Amino acid sequence: MNDLAGAFLGSPVWWYLAWQDIRQRYRRSVLGPFWLTASTGIMLAAMGPLYGVLFKQPLNSYFQHLSLSFVVWTFVASAITESCTAYITAEGFIKEVGLPYTTHITRVLVRNVIVFGHNLLVVVIVLMVFPPEVWVRCLLAVPGLLLVTINLFWIGSILALVSTRFRDIPQIVVAVVQVAFFLTPVVWKSEMLGDHEGITVYNPLYHLVEVVRTPLLGKHPQSISWVVLSVSAIVGPVIAMYVFGRFRSRIAYWV
Amino acid sequence: MARVRAQDIVVEFPIYASGTRSLKKAIMNTATGGVLARDASNRMIVRALDGLTFELNEGDRVGLIGHNGSGKSTLLRVLAGVYEPRQGYLSVEGKVASMLSITLGMDMEATGIENVFMRGHIMGVKPRRMRAMLDDIAEFAELGEYLDLPMKTYSTGMMMRLAFAVSTSIDADIVLMDEWISVGDASFAEKSRLRMDKLVREAKIVVLATHNHGLVRSMCNRIIRLEHGAMVADQDV
């Protein structure tokens, strides 16, 4: 609890560290962090028409679906995989200064939010070309994103802790997330499953993508996803707090 | 108010060889029942600090001496809040400035000024306060125009000067140092010595780990000697 308060009440180190990460990656390149935007744009421009034809989908609605899903998925997936190494990569900091541990989790999360922000530009362009059904519903994406971030926060806190102790976990998580990309309706739509459509609700990653994607598509949101994520946003942090409180003092010895 | 109280603190480092750290081993152990107990007792542990009890009060200038591996740096890290003691009770009252690694967080691609603020963030100083200290830091480091250039254009000495200037500009109740920091050429070394003296004078408690007995005699009023993680002497001088 103190750790959490320390991370958020003190000077926002995590914000500067996150920015530094991004800047370091793109320093001296002409586009800078907008390379993120560009590479996502190129990727979608290439994949959209191809898969649209493969899945025999109308280009307009499929392209919309793919680009939104892909951008949200990238955020969720990289936040999960990168938070595994949140403490491991911050070894220098952990062993030298007593920064609150939550700082390192927040740094990873904020870094990914910044990346997401840049990718959002692609989303805006896509929505300009292929407008959503109802513009007002896009506003729901904001609480959706908030809900996703809260969930990523507690998931990340647990993963970072466990990964620091057991170095196999990051590899496992990467493998699982890679497979999950194909098992989650990102390139395909849940409607394509026909009678089996309901099966997607058992995939937790589906909900994380859903609450941001559907509002942006201007469609009516899936209430089940909101329920699932709201419940986990309450239960999850409690579990994470317990685990963190139990093992926090060991982290410096594990890294 | 600055005070440090330590009661029987113990710090142990578990040694995770490739075997014990992997998940496979952990699962195997729980699955095979009996092995667990054996593994728990067989696991290598290095006891870096072994039941230290001491109290530091305002005005204490502690010289921490002992051979390599006697636990000096570990104790400093415990005081800095890096390692939490495995057993015992520790309370540290007052703002701690750790001079253990003064270049931590610096980015070679960023400019000198950016790095000044970065160090500030890491040491918990708000940008507004940092801005107020910027002139003093710039003047002391004598880097002139270089402050606006990326740090990779600096020589090692220049980088150390900047790091030193930032770290020593922060006022704290408790100052922790691992060996006396000395940077730069002859004239700068003299200037930095004066600055260090001032820092030590203004701090309420100073803990300095060193092998230099002359330094201990001139700076410290109390000596704590460690041997194999245990305190073998604690005397005023």
Side-chain angles (χ1 to χ4, degrees):
Chain A
M1 207 52 194
N2 274 335
D3 194 275
L4 207 63
F8 290 107
L9 297 181
S11 93
V13 192
W14 37 271
W15 170 252
Y16 298 98
L17 287 172
W19 253 120
Q20 195 189 46
D21 288 341
I22 300 276
R23 278 199 315 216
Q24 237 162 14
R25 220 179 297 178
Y26 297 100
R27 206 175 274 271
R28 292 176 65 196
S29 67
V30 180
L31 286 184
F34 286 97
W35 268 114
L36 293 163
T37 320
S39 64
T40 309
I42 294 167
M43 170 99 174
L44 290 171
M47 269 174 75
L50 172 66
Y51 281 84
V53 172
L54 282 177
F55 289 130
K56 301 187 177 56
Q57 291 284 311
L59 184 67
N60 154 353
S61 77
Y62 179 73
F63 200 74
Q64 225 184 22
H65 165 86
L66 177 74
S67 41
L68 289 179
S69 311
F70 189 77
V71 167
V72 181
W73 169 264
T74 312
F75 171 57
V76 171
S78 59
I80 290 178
T81 46
E82 284 177 25
S83 51
C84 286
T85 51
Y87 296 145
I88 301 171
T89 50
E91 182 180 347
F93 286 97
I94 291 177
K95 284 195 175 162
E96 297 295 345
V97 280
L99 283 178
Y101 289 109
T102 315
T103 301
H104 307 298
I105 305 288
T106 319
R107 170 192 186 177
V108 170
L109 221 49
V110 169
R111 181 170 71 214
N112 280 291
V113 170
I114 296 172
V115 172
F116 178 72
H118 283 90
N119 282 335
L120 219 51
L121 209 65
V122 178
V123 171
V124 171
I125 296 170
V126 170
L127 291 183
M128 291 295 194
V129 182
F130 307 111
E133 284 168 32
V134 188
W135 272 105
V136 193
R137 285 193 185 139
C138 288
L139 290 176
L140 258 180
V142 177
L145 191 65
L146 197 68
L147 208 52
V148 171
T149 313
I150 295 172
N151 277 290
L152 288 175
F153 187 73
W154 73 261
I155 296 171
S157 306
I158 294 179
L159 281 178
L161 191 83
V162 182
S163 304
T164 311
R165 175 65 182 83
F166 299 105
R167 297 300 167 97
D168 305 60
I169 302 281
Q171 313 299 333
I172 296 173
V173 171
V174 168
V176 169
V177 168
Q178 246 161 23
V179 173
F181 173 71
F182 296 101
L183 297 184
T184 310
V186 175
V187 276
W188 47 277
K189 297 180 176 183
S190 20
E191 297 99 274
M192 294 178 192
L193 288 174
D195 294 343
H196 305 290
E197 192 184 331
I199 207 163
T200 46
V201 299
Y202 297 107
N203 178 351
L205 290 170
Y206 163 76
H207 301 297
L208 287 172
V209 175
E210 186 60 28
V211 289
V212 182
R213 169 180 63 190
T214 311
L216 285 176
L217 287 171
K219 290 199 180 125
H220 198 68
Q222 299 279 345
S223 44
I224 171 108
S225 297
W226 288 83
V227 174
V228 168
L229 290 190
S230 303
V231 171
S232 68
I234 296 166
V235 179
V238 174
I239 300 171
M241 284 282 240
Y242 172 76
V243 176
F244 185 73
R246 176 94 173 64
F247 295 106
R248 188 188 53 106
S249 61
R250 309 298 301 151
I251 297 172
Y253 297 93
W254 287 343
V255 289
Chain B
M1 183 63 201
R3 191 154 74 142
V4 178
R5 272 188 303 163
Q7 185 83 46
D8 280 321
I9 53 170
V10 171
V11 169
E12 289 171 331
F13 292 97
I15 305 299
Y16 297 107
S18 52
T20 48
R21 204 177 252 222
S22 84
L23 188 63
K24 189 175 77 186
K25 190 83 174 267
I27 292 171
M28 301 285 246
N29 280 336
T30 48
T32 46
V35 188
L36 193 75
R38 208 189 71 202
D39 194 69
S41 57
N42 267 3
R43 188 161 69 180
M44 288 266 286
I45 284 173
V46 174
R47 187 169 275 219
L49 295 180
D50 195 359
L52 299 189
T53 300
F54 58 86
E55 192 175 319
L56 308 182
N57 293 302
E58 270 180 45
D60 279 351
R61 303 282 176 266
V62 182
L64 212 52
I65 55 176
H67 294 294
N68 290 330
S70 59
K72 301 188 299 290
S73 301
T74 307
L75 179 56
L76 287 178
R77 291 207 165 83
V78 169
L79 295 177
V82 172
Y83 296 122
E84 281 182 32
R86 195 78 176 113
Q87 289 164 34
Y89 167 83
L90 174 76
S91 95
V92 178
E93 293 165 38
K95 190 172 173 295
V96 179
S98 149
M99 303 278 155
L100 304 185
S101 111
I102 58 173
T103 53
L104 184 75
M106 284 188 152
D107 174 7
M108 294 309 276
E109 295 283 344
T111 68
I113 301 271
E114 284 172 333
N115 275 303
V116 168
F117 283 100
M118 197 64 205
R119 282 295 304 161
H121 294 311
I122 290 165
M123 293 183 294
V125 183
K126 292 248 160 66
R128 205 174 335 115
R129 290 245 351 257
M130 211 66 224
R131 208 160 292 134
M133 293 189 284
L134 197 59
D135 284 339
D136 168 59
I137 292 169
E139 195 197 311
F140 182 80
E142 294 174 12
L143 291 174
E145 308 273 283
Y146 270 96
L147 272 180
D148 294 315
L149 293 182
M151 272 234 306
K152 64 179 175 191
T153 61
Y154 292 19
S155 70
T156 315
M158 288 162 80
M159 196 181 105
M160 288 308 291
R161 259 151 62 171
L162 185 62
F164 178 85
V166 181
S167 301
T168 50
S169 64
I170 286 145
D171 48 354
D173 303 324
I174 304 171
V175 174
L176 308 174
M177 276 182 284
D178 202 347
E179 284 301 339
W180 192 254
I181 306 165
S182 154
V183 284
D185 44 39
S187 70
F188 193 82
E190 175 58 22
K191 223 172 92 175
S192 62
R193 198 184 59 79
L194 290 174
R195 198 171 164 102
M196 284 290 270
D197 283 346
K198 181 168 168 282
L199 183 80
V200 167
R201 230 180 12 254
E202 285 173 1
K204 293 180 178 133
I205 296 175
V206 176
V207 183
L208 165 68
T210 183
H211 293 289
N212 183 340
H213 289 259
L215 187 65
V216 173
R217 265 192 296 276
S218 66
M219 299 295 303
C220 307
N221 57 20
R222 186 174 166 188
I223 292 175
I224 291 180
R225 180 189 288 277
L226 295 178
E227 229 165 69
H228 302 297
M231 214 158 86
V232 291
D234 179 2
Q235 65 212 45
D236 292 326
V237 283

